[in-house]
Amino acid sequence: MTNSIGNGTAARDQLPLISLRGLENSSAPDFAKTADEIGRAARSFGFFRVCDHGIDIETIEATYAAAIEFFALSDQVKRGYYIGNSSNHRGYVPFTEKGDYPDEKNRSYEAFDLGLDLSCDDPDYLAGSRLLGPNVWPELHGFQNTVADYYSKISAVGRLLCTALEAHLKLPLGAMTSQMSKPISQLRLLHYVRQAATKEHTSVNMGAHTDYECLTLLHTRNKGLQVMTTDDRWIDVPIDPNVFIVNIGDMMEAWSNGAFRSTPHRVLNLSAERFSLPYFVAANHDTVIKPFPQLVGAGMKPKYEPFLAGEHLERMLMRDFPYLRNQREADPYRAAEETRSAVHNPFEGRLRVD
């Protein structure tokens, strides 16, 4: 089940829908065919949709139910899990924790952030890593089991997609996934609420941005997500409960030497209330992200300078989370160490055309 990429504006505005059934057997002919479909979509759009991904709708709905139950708690209870009280960026993100986006005039959403759930004696956590360690789990019956199960399943789909992109790029098996053994991948439970005073229902709730990691796998039940096309127009992303929306992130753009595009996107206030489940596929914290040599032409220079995956994500989170900026400013050594932090994301250059 694949929507072909044709000619004309209508075709350009149609995000491909790709069945992942062909990826079930890596040695079968359908694997290469499906991998190339995914690769072409990543090159042409930077966004595509996938079905037949193997995660049943019951698992997805159970995760939504867990999120809805948590966000229905009182503000006082939710703030007991405030992300700013965590040393490794885990927990509740209140409505007041706003990022630095000029187009978010009507921003109104809360979130719950978690990642790879490591033990309290993990060496990276003990060494003070901001992005690795144990999760913060609300004391709600079934929440941890439900959300951890979803994290495990969606992360497996993310690795499978990365394997397909390796094949499409004709990279050695594991070129990417071998650098995802202890990833800084994050799952967000997101709850958007359109404020009663907001009269412009097409105004922006989450500002235009690219995602910082390799891939994002998003499930949502409400309209509002828009993608910037190659000719710098905003188009709406269709909603289907059986489909995940996938987009390329900054790390993948650099790894692929620009073959794949980290595409700007935003969320509008179309719904009075909106829930979504974005999962961000990332590399290990200390992975050096640089174009694979196989993707740099003979006699050519790589299009991207090397950077550490963890450092890039931390810099961008500094822009998104006031609590991290406050911590930096309160620590003179850390502030001096991070003079480049919370400034500009080079992968969002296309946003300056507006």
Side-chain angles (χ1 to χ4, degrees):
M1 182 189 297
T2 304
N3 287 352
S4 60
I5 302 172
N7 297 319
T9 301
R12 290 200 308 270
D13 290 355
Q14 184 70 37
L15 295 186
L17 175 61
I18 302 170
S19 170
L20 299 188
R21 201 168 275 138
L23 301 182
E24 293 175 355
N25 184 349
S26 60
S27 61
D30 281 352
F31 186 93
K33 178 183 177 182
T34 303
D36 285 339
E37 289 173 355
I38 292 169
R40 285 194 297 271
R43 290 175 186 272
S44 302
F45 292 86
F47 258 82
F48 52 96
R49 299 175 296 145
V50 298
C51 58
D52 303 319
H53 41 70
I55 302 180
D56 57 81
I57 195 66
E58 290 78 16
T59 296
I60 296 169
E61 288 300 321
T63 308
Y64 277 119
I68 291 168
E69 183 179 10
F70 174 78
F71 291 127
L73 296 173
S74 69
D75 188 64
Q76 180 180 3
V77 172
K78 288 185 291 190
R79 284 182 176 271
Y81 304 102
Y82 175 48
I83 197 167
N85 295 332
S86 164
S87 64
N88 61 320
H89 197 65
R90 301 287 202 275
Y92 174 60
V93 182
F95 288 100
T96 53
E97 192 76 20
K98 297 187 178 183
D100 185 17
Y101 294 91
D103 57 346
E104 284 188 353
K105 296 178 181 178
N106 292 292
R107 178 204 189 279
S108 180
Y109 64 84
E110 58 185 339
F112 192 88
D113 287 4
L114 56 122
L116 183 66
D117 199 16
L118 301 171
S119 65
C120 292
D121 60 359
D122 176 81
D124 290 307
Y125 175 64
L126 293 177
S129 173
R130 287 177 177 164
L131 300 174
L132 292 169
N135 285 325
V136 171
W137 294 110
E139 295 180 5
L140 290 174
H141 178 71
F143 184 98
Q144 179 173 349
N145 288 340
T146 297
V147 177
D149 179 57
Y150 181 79
Y151 185 98
S152 174
K153 291 176 178 175
I154 195 66
S155 63
V157 177
R159 287 181 65 89
L160 182 62
L161 288 169
C162 287
T163 300
L165 291 173
E166 290 171 350
H168 171 75
L169 294 170
K170 295 181 170 50
L171 295 172
L173 182 65
M176 299 178 192
T177 54
S178 66
Q179 300 183 68
M180 298 174 174
S181 56
K182 193 178 182 181
I184 49 176
S185 304
Q186 297 179 311
L187 172 65
R188 300 200 89 186
L189 312 181
L190 267 169
H191 178 214
Y192 299 84
V193 178
R194 187 174 66 207
Q195 297 175 347
T198 301
K199 302 302 181 185
E200 299 177 22
H201 293 175
T202 57
S203 61
V204 175
N205 197 319
M206 179 177 284
H209 64 286
T210 62
D211 288 341
Y212 315 135
E213 298 85 353
C214 299
L215 299 174
T216 302
L217 280 67
L218 172 74
H219 194 281
T220 183
R221 301 189 294 187
N222 306 95
K223 293 181 179 180
L225 177 63
Q226 289 192 322
V227 177
M228 181 178 279
T229 63
T230 54
D231 56 352
D232 302 322
R233 292 177 297 107
W234 291 107
I235 62 171
D236 297 319
V237 177
I239 300 304
D240 184 331
N242 298 305
V243 164
F244 283 106
I245 302 158
V246 183
N247 65 274
I248 301 298
D250 300 346
M251 296 180 193
M252 185 65 75
E253 179 176 323
W255 251 350
S256 69
N257 201 35
F260 304 146
R261 305 170 55 250
S262 184
T263 307
H265 50 286
R266 65 186 184 183
V267 178
L268 303 184
N269 278 300
L270 299 185
S271 304
E273 186 175 43
R274 180 179 187 269
F275 293 92
S276 67
L277 307 172
Y279 171 73
F280 305 97
V281 182
N284 294 342
H285 188 283
D286 294 332
T287 294
V288 178
I289 303 292
K290 60 181 180 180
F292 289 104
Q294 299 92 326
L295 305 179
V296 180
M300 304 293 289
K301 290 184 178 180
K303 296 179 181 178
Y304 302 83
E305 293 294 324
F307 59 89
L308 285 176
E311 286 186 359
H312 176 65
L313 182 53
E314 288 177 18
R315 284 198 299 270
M316 295 301 98
L317 291 177
M318 196 75 65
R319 177 183 68 170
D320 294 348
F321 289 87
Y323 92 86
L324 288 174
R325 297 198 294 274
N326 293 338
Q327 288 179 358
R328 182 190 60 175
E329 292 165 3
D331 185 340
Y333 174 78
R334 179 170 283 176
E337 188 183 47
E338 298 172 342
T339 54
R340 295 184 300 156
S341 296
V343 282
H344 163 65
N345 182 359
F347 294 92
E348 292 175 352
R350 288 182 60 218
L351 294 175
R352 295 196 295 274
V353 301
D354 292 335

